Structure formats: structure tokens, C-alpha cells
């Protein structure tokens, strides 16, 4: 039997709806799932059952109440996965973007080849913005594959974000995975051809061995995370790693047809030439154009977006030039960080050890100075290692004193610097944080390696190490004692802090001192209900996330339980911790204040529930180092950020100059004369040079933020698209009403805020089995079986185990699917909140009014670089008329939507309601002409919307078309009767109808 379906028709087969593709033949249907991609295309032979995809007509006896129409409409719209508007992907992703996050997407859609530098402030959501662009370009066919270049520590987080929020499955290409991936390749095949979507370690792929293969087979869309680490200023000697990264990106960017998204919160890093090199990757002209000119600024505005939190905290308001605040969006960033600098003094025993160590280091540096530059640099890095580890903790000191210096194997002074600097300094543009939290070595004696006899140097270091080991515990380690005191205060105020340390031994030492041990029944100083865990670079990135989740799970939902995370700087970049923690303690001062800002940014970001994030900085009052670093670097950085609203990096060579001066003073004069340091000529020169250059960098940042503020997309343009999206897919208020009313009708127990605002919880143990089965995979089987509360949050940024009141949340989707399926199946067991028919007697109308829920389907022809794409999309509309269907007076869309708020003034006799519904349904063919005309008008509006969004490029819209498929489907029909007219056919209020 031959098929007779035309291309573009919707059919039902194999339990789902499909679009018939033009490649179909009479004896073979080629189908794409409705809302699916080309990867899901399937072929169907004539022996398989295939039927036209249409809804059965509503049954007049299956009447619902006044809520039925609204619940059915929302359930239908939540289920849409193929929106008809210009943003193809928004209906199918599992994230509800903020309005301001649509700005980079709108900018990208106006470019034939997308080239963007996204430099929004930390915590605003750059990953979401890049993901929106990527998912939209893949959905439209503008890109066929995606590569994300990032640090290996962030690769798995990117993978989870893309998969969980955007439905993009990407393979990890890391040094640890590449062998496994290559084993599955065909002869001569590149893994970048085999896997269209990849997340690649920048440090792995930049080597010449792998770079050439990547460049040859690179996907046509590339996202570069932390892009500032891939360029360097012209006036500095960039590291070999930075040069390799830059060469990689330069070759990727050479292909003028390749889409490129560069993502970084710090595009300047204090250097104008580095910023220009970054812009040159986006568009070569931007590397040299005069940005002071109007032409230059306009060119930059097409490709560059950089906003502070203050720019987007309140958006689409009258202050943005809009007529009213109806679309206003307020994003709950923490309002401020509360800084508190807390000091501690060394115990007599610790002070004696530090003095001995300073004396030893001074002797070694002086002695090595007479032996040559190589020996001098090795001794210098050994001295810094010793001093920093001693200031950190007894555990770090003990390990440093018994470990050989990394610089000791250097063959030259330059190599000694290359080996010693990464482990001993905190450069803002370090090649990677991985492996940088190990305790550095201090042993430099050429004869003191493994297997050698103990010499006098090694013997002295061993003695110091033994003394350090004896100082563990709060009695002699007063820094630890101070930490315990401040942690107790934070925990008492309800905070869950992260304690950041410089070295792995310090983090492990703190965890041992603070945690409870059930096996030995040891009780830590922070209380029985405080869970303490350490996360360091010894764990893989995935293991770090798992340990953090285990910490949160162990603390549980008990209001009295508290969490304390001890971490090294392996967690100071990229990892989002705002859902579990809300305070930061700097146990060890970083020698570059940018690192402090990175640490604090892990919790001070979008999704943080606290309005005020607390930051405590511990510093030694008498160790000779901390006070100076705090005064000259940390406080200056805070003040600049307070003035500008953003972080400005201190140039690395200048901060190093200051810390070198501090160390040199200590080695020369010890701690006794430390107050004289500030008046020392060498220190004053370093400090003045630092302040001068840093102030200049801050002024350049201030000027550029003002001059290059995002102006290519006006808020009115964003507001128009937001209104269109909400009209098609539903807004927050609609979803909240749907969730509360549906769950309530289905037997869930609701607690918390009322229907209009606020968070609430639901227990679903008493709901129908079908809903419990649908929710179990989403919230967890245990939550459903043990009838635990499911928190529903107004804020879309929710923690694991919580549900957001947005249409894209999996819990909302499962609820909507159940409600819709129950409405379509009149034989379904249990409560059915939504129905396809209803007769409501109400004071809201003065004449009989019929409300129709209509599903429209549109055929879209969208031009792209890979050719035209034929797509089918859905839309649901409410249409209403007064009087009889044949000559009804049609209402405006807003009047039709207002009927959803109508309340019954009295109950309607069910037999009368069924007769009324039967009569109306029989006359509905008379409205088909209006429905078709309205569908054509919607198609014209959609066509205009697609052209408007892509207005900047004529090539992008050439060949675009949108047509409505006829006839439209009437999913629901609801009759509203005026109370007086139906008085004779009603029963008293309260009598079951």
C-alpha cells in the first residue's frame, strides 16, 4: 500500500508525531520527529501503521471547571519543543534565560559569520549566553558542530552545562580520554570528524602534534573559555604556553567562515595591547582600528558585549527607555560583599621557628649570591617557598622542608625562574591552576637528593621540619585557633563558608583538625552537625564536584546542619558553588589580589540566595609578610572594584615586584624592623610604580566600559522579543499558577507562599501513580516514595533537588505532560485537572462567549549557510467570540486571555452544560474560515519577526518563508454564560455539577 502524505504533513507513527520530508517516496516515508533534529530522521515502510496527526474532537460530556482551559493551554505550551518564533531553540532547552542574556544572542543572529567577545562581569552568566548562541545556531543549521576550548579542570562542567541545559551532547577531548576516543576511529579518520560536538582541553590541543589535526577538522563553531589566557601584551615576554595558545586561536580564527565566541570576564588584564590582540581574533580590523572614532566604536559594538551587574540588576524598566515596567526583570545578585580583615599573632614556638627559617633562608641566599646567577635564583625560589609554606601552616612547612625545590634541577637562571615561579607566585594569568596547589620544595643542596647521605643543610632542614610538625593544633598554631573562632561565628549566623588555602597539605591539615570522625568518635570544634570536607588538586575535576555534592547531601536538609568546605585554588576558577555556600574565608593570602576576587566569585554570583556574601581575610600581624600584602595589594584591589563595580587585574610583574621587595627585606633584616619597610627606597619605588600603573589600568577600564558599553541592541528591541517569547511560550506567572493549581487538584500537599508570589513546597505521595512515575526520574525515587517535600523556587537558578517555576524545568515538564495526557484521555484514572470542554456561568460576560484553544502548525523555510532547512513548528492561541459561531463577534487576544481569570458565580447543571457543549461543537465548522485567516496573519507576523531579528544581513533572510498548515486543530472549547441568562438552567452554588 503506497503512502499519500505530502511533504510537510504531520503524521503519527511509532508513538510520536513526525514531519514528512521531501525525500519521501510512495513506498518509503522519510520522517523527522516534530521538534527533533536531522540526527533523528527515520524511514518508515508501508507495512508500518502511519496516520495523519490530528487530535480527536472534544467530547461534550467531559466537562471541566473554570480552571480547565488555562491548565490545558499551559500544559500544551510547556510541551512545545519547536517554537515558531525566530529563536528556534528556546522552546527545547532546559534553562530560562534572563532577558539581558538574550542580548548576545540577538547580536549574533545579525551576523552572517558570528564573531563575538562576551565579557560580562563574573557571575552574570556568560556560559548561558554562549550556550544560547550555540544551541540556536545548531538548531537553525548555521553550524553543524561545536568545539569548546577550555581548561581541563572546567571541561566536565562545560559538558554538564551543555547536556543538562541545552541538550547538546559533547565528547571530552582531554589527555586522559584521547586514547580511548582514537581507538574507535576508522583508518585515517580524525576524531573531530567522528564527534561533531567536543569539549577540548586548550592545553592538550595547543601542542603542534595535536593542533594541526584540530585546525584541519575543526567544527564550524568554536567557543573559547577564559580567552584572555590565550593572548599576551606586545610589551611582555609571553610564556611559551600562552604563545602556543595564541597560535592555536590565530589559526582557528583564520577561517573567515568559522563562527567564534571568545568568553572572558577580564578582556584587558591591565594591558591595552593584550585587549587589541584579543579583538584581532574576533575581527582583524579591530586590532588596529581607532576606537576613539565613531566608526571604530560602531564596529566594536557589533562584536563586543561587556556589562557590570549594575547594568543588568534591573532590566527592561522605564529607566531603560521603555514605556512601562510590565516586562521589567530584576535579577537577584548579592547586593554586596561584607569584608572583614581579621588578624592573628604567632605563638612563641611558631615565632621561633619562623625566625630560624628566615635566618636559614637568608644564609642560603647570601651564600648562593656568590656562586652565580643560577644558584642565586634557585636559592631565591627556595626561600620564597619556605616562607610562604611556613606562613600557611605547620603541615605545609613540614612538607616543604623535606621536599626538593623544583628549581634545583635548573641548568640556568632562566630555567630556574620558569620552574620556580609557577609554584611560588600567584600570577593572574598563570597557564593553569592544575598542580599549582602542591607544597613547593625548599631543599637545594646538590648532594641532598634521594639516596644521598645527610649533609649539614639537609640535617638542618630536617630539624626545622620536626619542629614544624610539633606545632600542629590550635594550642600552638594560633592561626588555626583564629580560624575556628571565626568559623563558629559564621556558622552561628547561618552561613556555610568555603575556606581557601594555598597548599594541599594546609587544606588536608585543616580538614583533619575541624572534621568530626564517627569511627573514632572524635568531635571537631565546629559542632556535631557541621560537615567538613577538603577538595584539592589531588582529586580529578569530576571527583571534586562529587565530593562537594557528597558534602551537601551529608549535611542534608536539617536547618541546624552546616557545611564547611576547605579548598585550594583548584576551585577558584569556573566552578559554581553559590547553591551550597555563601561565605569565603581567605586562610592564606594570595600574592595577586585577582585570585581573591576569583575565589569570592565562586559564591558571589547569580543564584546566590544571600543578599550579602561575607568575606573574612585572615592575616598574620607579626609574620612579616601578610600585613604588607594586605595593605598594598588586597585593599587597593577592593577599593578599585568598589569604585568601578568590576575587578581590574594588577599587572603581574608589578605585584611580583612588591612581594619580592617584602621577601628581600625579611631576608636582609628579619621581622624586627618590618615597620621600616614602607620607608625603604626600593619598596617605595615598587609600590609607587604599582599604584601608578594600576590606577592607569583602572582609568582605562573605566573609560572603555563607558565608551564601549553595549549599544548595538536597544532595550526596546529586547523587550519586543521577550514579549513575543512570553506570548508564545508562557511567562513565570502562568507557570506558577499552573503548577500550584495542577498539583493541588491532583492531591499534592502544598505548603508555603500563596499563588501570587514566593516559594513553596509540594509533597506528591498522594497524587496519581502516573504522575509519581513521571516525577521519580526527575526528583529522585526516594523523594517520591518517602513523600518528601519538593521545593519550588521563583528564581530560575535552583540547586539540585529543587524545581524552578519556569516552563523549561524538568519537574514542570513532567507535570505538564501528565496533565496534558490526562486531558486527552477521558478514560485516564485519577484526577484530571485539565479538560477539553467546559461550561462556566459567570459574571465576567454579558452574552454567551466561546473560548477556543487552537493549535497552529507552521511550515518554515529557513535559509542557512548549509542550504535551506524545512521545519515545522507549533503555536497555541486563545481565540474567543460572542454569540453563535456562524456570525460571532471575535474578541481581541487580550480579551480572550482575560477569560481564563473568570470565576464561576454559580454551578451549571451538568445536563444543560452537555447539551450546550454538544450544540457549540456541532457548529464549530462555521469558524474554520476565521481560524484560517488568523493563521495566515500569525504566519505573516512570524515571517516579519524572523526578518527583524536577522535584519542586518540580507543574505540571511533571502528565501525565508513561513506558511500556516490548514486546518488548525481545536484542542479545547469553553462556553461562558452570563449568570442571568442561565439562571433557569443552574443549580445552587455548592451543589456538585
Amino acid at each position: 500500500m503506497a503512502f499519500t502524505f505530502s511533504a510537510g504533513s504531520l503524521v503519527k507513527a511509532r508513538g510520536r508525531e513526525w514531519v514528512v520530508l521531501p525525500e519521501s517516496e510512495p513506498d518509503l516515508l522519510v520522517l523527522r520527529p516534530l521538534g527533533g533534529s536531522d540526527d533523528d530522521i527515520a524511514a518508515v515502510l508501508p507495512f508500518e501503521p502511519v496516520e495523519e496527526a490530528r487530535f480527536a474532537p472534544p467530547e461534550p460530556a467531559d466537562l471541566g471547571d473554570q480552571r480547565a482551559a488555562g491548565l490545558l493551554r499551559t500544559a500544551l505550551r510547556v510541551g512545545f519543543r519547536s517554537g515558531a518564533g525566530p529563536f528556534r531553540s528556546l522552546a527545547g532547552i532546559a534553562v530560562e534565560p534572563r532577558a539581558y542574556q538574550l542580548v548576545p544572542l540577538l547580536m549574533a543572529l545579525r551576523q552572517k559569520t558570528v564573531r563575538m567577545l562576551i565579557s560580562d562581569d563574573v557571575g552574570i552568566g556568560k556560559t548561558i549566553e554562549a550556550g544560547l548562541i550555540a544551541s540556536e545556531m545548531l538548531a537553525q543549521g548555521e553550524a553543524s558542530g561545536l568545539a569548546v576550548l577550555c581548561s581541563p579542570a572546567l571541561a566536565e562542567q562545560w559538558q554538564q552545562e551543555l547536556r543538562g541545559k541545552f541538550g547538546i551532547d559533547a565528547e571530552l577531548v582531554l589527555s586522559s580520554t584521547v586514547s580511548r576516543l582514537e581507538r574507535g576511529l576508522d583508518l585515517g579518520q580524525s576524531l573531530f570528524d567522528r564527534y561533531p560536538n567536543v569539549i577540548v582541553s586548550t592545553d592538550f590541543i595547543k601542542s603542534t602534534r595535536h593542533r594541526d589535526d584540530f585546525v584541519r577538522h575543526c567544527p564550524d563553531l568554536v567557543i573559547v573559555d577564559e580567552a584572555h589566557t590565550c593572548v599576551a601584551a606586545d610589551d611582555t615576554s609571553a610564556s611559551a604556553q600562552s604563545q602556543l595558545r595564541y597560535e592555536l586561536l590565530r589559526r582557528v580564527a583564520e577561517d573567515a567562515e568559522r563562527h567564534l565566541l571568545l568568553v572572558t570576564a577580564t578582556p584587558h588584564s591591565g594591558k591595552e595591547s593584550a585587549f587589541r590582540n584579543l579583538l584581532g581574533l574576533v575581527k582583524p580590523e579591530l586590532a588596529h582600528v581607532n576606537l576613539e572614532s565613531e566608526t571604530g566604536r560602531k564596529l566594536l559594538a557589533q562584536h563586543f558585549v561587556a556589562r557590570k551587574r549594575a547594568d543588568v540588576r534591573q532590566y527592561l524598566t522605564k529607566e531603560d527607555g521603555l514605556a512601562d515596567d510590565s516586562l521589567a526583570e530584576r535579577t537577584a545578585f548579592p547586593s554586596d560583599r561584607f569584608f572583614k580583615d581579621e588578624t592573628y599573632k604567632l605563638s612563641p614556638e611558631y615565632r621561633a621557628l619562623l625566625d630560624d627559617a628566615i635566618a636559614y633562608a637568608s644564609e642560603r641566599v647570601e651564600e648562593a649570591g656568590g656562586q652565580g646567577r643560577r644558584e642565586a635564583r634557585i636559592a631565591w625560589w627556595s626561600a620564597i617557598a619556605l616562607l610562604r609554606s611556613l606562613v600557611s601552616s605547620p603541615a605545609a612547612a613540614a612538607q616543604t622542608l623535606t621536599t626538593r625545590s623544583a628549581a634545583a634541577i635548573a641548568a640556568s637562571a632562566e630555567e630556574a625562574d620558569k620552574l620556580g615561579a609557577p609554584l611560588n607566585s600567584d600570577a593572574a594569568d598563570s597557564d593553569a591552576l592544575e598542580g599549582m596547589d602542591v607544597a613547593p620544595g625548599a631543599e637545594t643542596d646538590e648532594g641532598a637528593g634521594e639516596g644521598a647521605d645527610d649533609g649539614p643543610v639537609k640535617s638542618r632542614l630536617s630539624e626545622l621540619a620536626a619542629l614544624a610538625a610539633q606545632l600542629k593544633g590550635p594550642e600552638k598554631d594560633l592561626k588555626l585557633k583564629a580560624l575556628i573562632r571565626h568559623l563558629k561565628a559564621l556558622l552561628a549566623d547561618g552561613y556555610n563558608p568555603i575556606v581557601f588555602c594555598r597548599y594541599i597539605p594546609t587544606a588536608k591539615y585543616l580538614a583533619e583538625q575541624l572534621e568530626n570522625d564517627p569511627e573514632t568518635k572524635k568531635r571537631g570544634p565546629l559542632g556535631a552537625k557541621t560537615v567538613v570536607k577538603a577538595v584539592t588538586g589531588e582529586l580529578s575535576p569530576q571527583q571534586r564536584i562529587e565530593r562537594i555534592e557528597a558534602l551537601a547531601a551529608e549535611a542534608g536538609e536539617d536547618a541546624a546542619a552546616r557545611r564547611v568546605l576547605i579548598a585550594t585554588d583548584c576551585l577558584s576558577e569556573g566552578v559554581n558553588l553559590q547553591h551550597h555556600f555563601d561565605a569565603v574565608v581567605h586562610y592564606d593570602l594570595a600574592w595577586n589580589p585577582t585570585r581573591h576576587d576569583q575565589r569570592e566569585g565562586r559564591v558571589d554570583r547569580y543564584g546566590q540566595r544571600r543578599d550579602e556574601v561575607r568575606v573574612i581575610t585572615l592575616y598574620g600581624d607579626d609574620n612579616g609578610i601578610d600585613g604588607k600584602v594586605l595593605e598594598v595589594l588586597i585593599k587597593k584591589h577592593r577599593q578599585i572594584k568598589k569604585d568601578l563595580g568590576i575587578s581590574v587585574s594588577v599587572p603581574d610583574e608589578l605585584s611580583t615586584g612588591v612581594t619580592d621587595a617584602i621577601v628581600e627585606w625579611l631576608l636582609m633584616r628579619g621581622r624586627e624592623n618590618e615597620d621600616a619597610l614602607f620607608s625603604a627606597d626600593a619598596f617605595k619605588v615598587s609600590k609607587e610604580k604599582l599604584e601608578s600603573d594600576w590606577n592607569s589600568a583602572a582609568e582605562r577600564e573605566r573609560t572603555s566600559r563607558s565608551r564601549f558599553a553595549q549599544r548595538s541592541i536597544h532595550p526596546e528591541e529586547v523587550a519586543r522579543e521577550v514579549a513575543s517569547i512570553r506570548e508564545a511560550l508562557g511567562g513565570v506567572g502562568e507557570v506558577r499558577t499552573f503548577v500550584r493549581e495542577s498539583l493541588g487538584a491532583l492531591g499534592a500537599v502544598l505548603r508555603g507562599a500563596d499563588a501570587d508570589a514566593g516559594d513553596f513546597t509540594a509533597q506528591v505521595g498522594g497524587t496519581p501513580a502516573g504522575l509519581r512515575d513521571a516525577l521519580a526520574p526527575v526528583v529522585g525515587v526516594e523523594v517520591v516514595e518517602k513523600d518528601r517535600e519538593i521545593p519550588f523556587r521563583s528564581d530560575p537558578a535552583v540547586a539540585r533537588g529543587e524545581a524552578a517555576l519556569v516552563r523549561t524545568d524538568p519537574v514542570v515538564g513532567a507535570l505538564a505532560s501528565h496533565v496534558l495526557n490526562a486531558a486527552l484521555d477521558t478514560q485516564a484514572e485519577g484526577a484530571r485537572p485539565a479538560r477539553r470542554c467546559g461550561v462556566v456561568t459567570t459574571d465576567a460576560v454579558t452574552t454567551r462567549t466561546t473560548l477556543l484553544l487552537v493549535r497552529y502548525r507552521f511550515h518554515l523555510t529557513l535559509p542557512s549557510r548549509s542550504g535551506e532547512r524545512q521545519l515545522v513548528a507549533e503555536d497555541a492561541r486563545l481565540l474567543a467570540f460572542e454569540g453563535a459561531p456562524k456570525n460571532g463577534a471575535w474578541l481581541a487576544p487580550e480579551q480572550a486571555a482575560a477569560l481564563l481569570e473568570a470565576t464561576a458565580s454559580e454551578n451549571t447543571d451538568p445536563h444543560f452544560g452537555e447539551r450546550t457543549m454538544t450544540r457549540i461543537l456541532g457548529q464549530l465548522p462555521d469558524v474554520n474560515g476565521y481560524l484560517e485567516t488568523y493563521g495566515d496573519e500569525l504566519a505573516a507576523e512570524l515571517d516579519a519577526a524572523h526578518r527583524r531579528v536577522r535584519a542586518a544581513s540580507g543574505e540571511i533572510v533571502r528565501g525565508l518563508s513561513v506558511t500556516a498548515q490548514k486546518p488548525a486543530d481545536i484542542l479545547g472549547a469553553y462556553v461562558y454564560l452570563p449568570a442571568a441568562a442561565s439562571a433557569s438552567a443552574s443549580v445552587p452554588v455548592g451543589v456538585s455539577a
Side-chain angles (χ1 to χ4, degrees):
M1 178 180 176
F3 291 118
T4 58
F5 302 107
S6 60
S9 300
L10 258 68
V11 297
K12 189 169 184 178
R14 302 177 183 175
R16 66 187 300 184
E17 292 187 347
W18 306 76
V19 180
V20 179
L21 299 181
E23 294 83 356
S24 297
E25 302 288 344
D27 58 349
L28 180 71
L29 278 183
V30 181
L31 309 175
R32 182 198 302 116
L34 183 62
S37 67
D38 289 345
D39 294 335
D40 303 317
I41 289 175
V44 176
L45 297 170
F47 60 79
E48 294 190 63
V50 180
E51 59 186 37
E52 186 178 2
R54 293 188 61 82
F55 287 104
E59 296 184 15
D62 188 34
L63 298 176
D65 59 19
Q66 62 198 25
R67 303 171 302 177
L71 294 180
L72 182 59
R73 178 182 75 146
T74 304
L76 181 68
R77 299 207 298 184
V78 168
F80 284 165
R81 289 296 176 264
S82 53
F87 307 107
R88 289 286 303 160
S89 65
L90 290 190
I93 61 177
V95 62
E96 188 92 353
R98 312 297 289 170
Y100 69 80
Q101 292 175 331
L102 296 176
V103 170
L105 175 59
L106 286 168
M107 294 171 64
L109 291 178
R110 295 184 176 185
Q111 302 176 27
K112 182 182 177 184
T113 300
V114 178
R115 292 294 178 99
M116 295 276 296
L117 174 55
I118 302 175
S119 297
D120 285 339
D121 197 9
V122 172
I124 282 181
K126 294 182 292 299
T127 301
I128 297 295
E129 292 169 345
L132 284 171
I133 296 173
S135 62
E136 188 63 30
M137 297 181 71
L138 291 169
Q140 292 187 9
E142 291 293 335
S144 58
L146 165 68
V148 177
L149 301 180
C150 65
S151 157
L154 302 181
E156 287 171 337
Q157 181 170 311
W158 265 100
Q159 185 184 47
Q160 292 170 358
E161 291 280 303
L162 292 177
R163 177 182 295 150
K165 293 180 178 176
F166 301 100
I168 300 173
D169 281 316
E171 285 288 344
L172 294 178
V173 181
L174 313 172
S175 57
S176 59
T177 66
V178 70
S179 296
R180 172 181 58 81
L181 295 175
E182 289 179 340
R183 281 197 295 270
L185 300 178
D186 296 332
L187 185 63
Q189 184 182 31
S190 168
L191 64 84
F192 302 108
D193 289 333
R194 177 68 172 270
Y195 303 103
N197 302 321
V198 290
I199 298 166
V200 187
S201 163
T202 310
D203 287 326
F204 168 75
I205 208 68
K206 70 179 186 294
S207 68
T208 53
R209 174 171 171 249
H210 302 290
R211 181 185 66 204
D212 293 343
D213 179 55
F214 177 71
V215 171
R216 279 195 303 270
H217 303 277
C218 183
D220 47 8
L221 170 59
V222 176
I223 298 173
V224 183
D225 193 19
E226 302 294 344
H228 64 279
T229 65
C230 301
V231 295
D234 296 336
D235 56 349
T236 61
S237 55
S239 71
Q241 304 303 313
S242 290
Q243 290 172 351
L244 286 171
R245 290 197 200 103
Y246 181 67
E247 177 62 19
L248 168 67
L249 290 198
R250 188 190 63 77
R251 292 186 58 184
V252 168
E254 276 180 347
D255 185 348
E257 297 295 310
R258 178 168 288 121
H259 306 294
L260 184 63
L261 303 178
L262 304 182
V263 179
T264 173
T266 53
H268 284 84
S269 297
K271 300 290 177 59
E272 179 68 17
S273 58
F275 178 53
R276 288 296 194 137
N277 289 338
L278 201 58
L279 291 178
L281 293 172
V282 176
K283 199 173 184 66
E285 304 94 283
L286 288 172
H288 310 290
V289 71
N290 179 13
L291 296 179
E292 301 293 331
S293 68
E294 186 66 21
T295 302
R297 288 198 293 269
K298 283 184 176 179
L299 178 62
L300 179 62
Q302 297 173 24
H303 303 275
F304 180 50
V305 56
R307 297 166 294 180
K308 299 181 292 186
R309 292 186 187 186
D311 299 328
V312 298
R313 192 183 298 275
Q314 298 190 55
Y315 192 54
L316 301 185
T317 65
K318 287 191 287 187
E319 293 181 2
D320 294 313
L322 274 63
D324 54 48
D325 289 339
S326 60
L327 294 174
E329 190 174 76
R330 290 166 177 82
T331 303
F333 296 111
S335 62
D336 201 3
R337 298 178 193 175
F338 175 77
F339 291 102
K340 195 172 184 182
D341 301 325
E342 297 286 0
T343 187
Y344 66 90
K345 286 185 178 292
L346 299 172
S347 66
E349 296 87 349
Y350 214 125
R351 189 180 302 116
L353 174 64
L354 180 59
D355 287 339
D356 284 348
I358 291 174
Y360 162 78
S362 178
E363 292 170 12
R364 296 295 295 162
V365 168
E366 185 177 357
E367 178 184 338
Q371 297 174 350
R373 284 193 67 240
R374 168 188 170 277
E375 289 75 12
R377 297 309 295 168
I378 293 174
W380 174 256
W381 292 119
S382 173
I384 290 181
L386 182 55
L387 294 176
R388 293 203 69 180
S389 62
L390 269 165
V391 169
S392 178
S393 71
Q399 183 155 329
T400 293
L401 286 161
T402 55
T403 303
R404 194 164 189 210
S405 169
I409 63 171
S412 64
E414 291 73 22
E415 187 179 359
D417 288 343
K418 186 182 294 186
L419 293 171
L423 286 175
N424 291 287
S425 61
D426 301 314
D429 58 353
S430 290
D431 292 328
L433 289 177
E434 291 302 298
M436 294 298 106
D437 54 358
V438 299
E443 173 59 60
T444 61
D445 190 4
E446 299 293 345
E450 284 189 32
D453 293 332
D454 285 354
V457 171
K458 188 169 184 180
S459 177
R460 187 170 177 187
L461 290 178
S462 297
E463 290 174 9
L464 293 174
L467 291 173
Q470 295 172 17
L471 299 179
K472 292 182 179 180
E475 184 179 342
K476 296 182 180 179
D477 183 1
L478 299 186
K479 182 181 182 184
L480 170 63
K481 186 176 182 179
L483 173 68
I484 293 171
R485 183 173 72 253
H486 297 304
L487 286 179
K488 284 181 175 179
L490 285 172
L491 296 171
D493 289 343
Y495 281 84
N496 297 290
I498 304 176
V499 180
F500 276 104
C501 310
R502 179 64 175 84
Y503 302 118
I504 293 173
T506 300
K508 295 169 73 172
Y509 162 66
L510 293 184
E512 291 168 2
Q513 292 289 326
L514 299 177
E515 66 189 355
N516 298 301
D517 189 345
E519 292 185 9
T520 62
K521 296 185 179 180
K522 172 214 162 197
R523 180 168 176 174
L526 302 180
K529 290 192 175 183
T530 299
V531 183
V532 180
K533 289 191 182 298
V535 171
T536 71
E538 290 181 322
L539 301 175
S540 72
Q542 183 60 32
Q543 289 173 323
R544 297 168 201 170
I545 300 301
E546 291 171 356
R547 181 163 293 186
I548 293 167
E549 295 295 340
L551 189 161
E554 188 175 336
E557 300 300 321
D558 187 345
R562 291 289 177 265
R563 300 179 291 273
V564 175
L565 176 65
I566 313 294
T568 63
D569 284 316
C570 71
L571 288 185
S572 69
E573 281 190 355
V575 181
N576 300 331
L577 302 171
Q578 70 271 29
H579 296 306
H580 300 314
F581 304 97
D582 44 27
V584 169
V585 178
H586 299 291
Y587 191 73
D588 291 333
L589 293 186
W591 283 10
N592 190 307
T594 303
R595 187 62 49 78
H596 280 224
D597 198 51
Q598 291 167 340
R599 293 171 176 177
E600 294 155 16
R602 298 310 96 216
V603 298
D604 184 5
R605 58 194 307 110
Y606 173 53
Q608 173 58 255
R609 300 265 165 75
R610 290 273 186 184
D611 186 55
E612 180 182 83
V613 170
R614 289 194 185 176
V615 178
I616 293 178
T617 304
L618 277 180
Y619 71 100
D621 183 58
D622 56 351
N623 63 28
I625 298 177
D626 284 356
K628 311 303 181 293
V629 172
L630 180 72
E631 187 68 30
V632 178
L633 296 174
I634 308 297
K635 288 186 176 180
K636 174 72 173 178
H637 183 267
R638 287 182 197 160
Q639 187 60 47
I640 290 177
K641 180 159 187 175
K642 184 178 180 180
D643 294 342
L644 285 184
I646 56 168
S647 177
V648 177
S649 299
V650 55
D652 285 327
E653 63 273 16
L654 297 180
S655 65
T656 301
V658 169
T659 53
D660 282 357
I662 296 172
V663 173
E664 189 170 346
W665 178 271
L666 266 181
L667 296 179
M668 290 172 57
R669 295 172 177 81
R671 294 182 305 103
E672 298 306 318
N673 299 315
E674 59 185 81
D675 290 336
L677 170 64
F678 285 104
S679 60
D681 292 340
F683 183 82
K684 287 170 65 176
V685 170
S686 296
K687 183 173 179 289
E688 289 169 2
K689 172 68 172 170
L690 172 97
E691 291 197 349
S692 173
D693 284 26
W694 205 351
N695 288 335
S696 297
E699 185 57 37
R700 285 197 301 272
E701 185 69 21
R702 186 200 310 272
T703 303
S704 68
R705 288 276 169 168
S706 172
R707 186 190 307 140
F708 308 139
Q710 195 292 122
R711 295 191 181 98
S712 64
I713 304 293
H714 193 275
E716 286 183 355
E717 300 175 69
V718 181
R720 183 168 51 214
E721 304 307 334
V722 168
S724 176
I725 292 167
R726 291 181 182 174
E727 183 179 9
L729 301 178
V732 174
E734 178 185 335
V735 173
R736 170 188 294 280
T737 300
F738 169 78
V739 172
R740 287 191 67 98
E741 292 189 350
S742 296
L743 287 175
L746 289 166
V749 178
L750 304 180
R751 293 187 179 89
D754 58 29
D756 296 326
D759 299 341
F760 60 90
T761 64
Q763 292 173 262
V764 297
T767 62
L771 177 60
R772 298 198 306 272
D773 291 343
L775 290 176
V778 180
V779 300
V781 175
E782 193 171 305
V783 172
V784 175
E785 290 182 348
K786 295 188 176 180
D787 200 17
R788 292 178 178 169
E789 291 185 337
I790 302 172
F792 285 86
R793 307 293 189 194
S794 304
D795 194 327
V798 294
R800 182 172 297 183
E802 299 177 340
L805 290 169
V806 296
R807 62 176 299 280
T808 54
D809 187 89
V811 176
V812 176
L815 175 62
S817 178
H818 176 82
V819 170
L820 179 60
N821 291 337
L824 298 176
D825 182 4
T826 58
Q827 306 302 315
E829 296 182 2
R832 298 170 57 235
R835 305 289 180 93
R836 298 182 65 191
C837 293
V839 178
V840 181
T841 302
T842 178
D843 293 327
V845 298
T846 56
T847 185
R848 188 184 73 187
T849 304
T850 303
L851 177 69
L852 302 178
L853 176 58
V854 184
R855 180 179 77 166
Y856 283 99
R857 290 174 292 191
F858 300 94
H859 293 272
L860 289 77
T861 301
L862 298 179
S864 70
R865 300 197 308 181
S866 57
E868 290 186 349
R869 287 169 60 87
Q870 304 293 327
L871 304 170
V872 175
E874 301 173 283
D875 199 357
R877 294 291 169 141
L878 291 171
L879 304 176
F881 60 87
E882 296 177 341
K886 189 171 185 177
N887 50 13
W890 291 90
L891 304 182
E894 56 271 18
Q895 293 175 299
L899 290 173
L900 297 178
E901 306 299 323
T903 57
S905 57
E906 55 190 69
N907 290 335
T908 304
D909 178 74
H911 300 293
F912 174 76
E914 184 176 345
R915 291 196 303 273
T916 301
M917 202 72 248
T918 300
R919 186 166 62 252
I920 290 294
L921 291 175
Q923 297 172 354
L924 283 184
D926 293 336
V927 305
N928 284 344
Y930 181 85
L931 297 186
E932 289 186 3
T933 301
Y934 189 79
D936 291 337
E937 292 173 358
L938 286 179
E941 291 176 8
L942 289 168
D943 185 283
H946 280 272
R947 294 177 185 276
R948 180 177 67 243
V949 168
R950 296 162 176 78
S953 174
E955 293 184 32
I956 293 179
V957 298
R958 191 175 297 128
L960 187 151
S961 68
V962 183
T963 57
Q965 178 168 316
K966 300 169 184 177
D969 294 319
I970 298 178
L971 269 70
Y974 309 89
V975 178
Y976 295 82
L977 300 174
S982 63
S984 60
S986 63
V987 294
V989 174
V991 177
S992 176

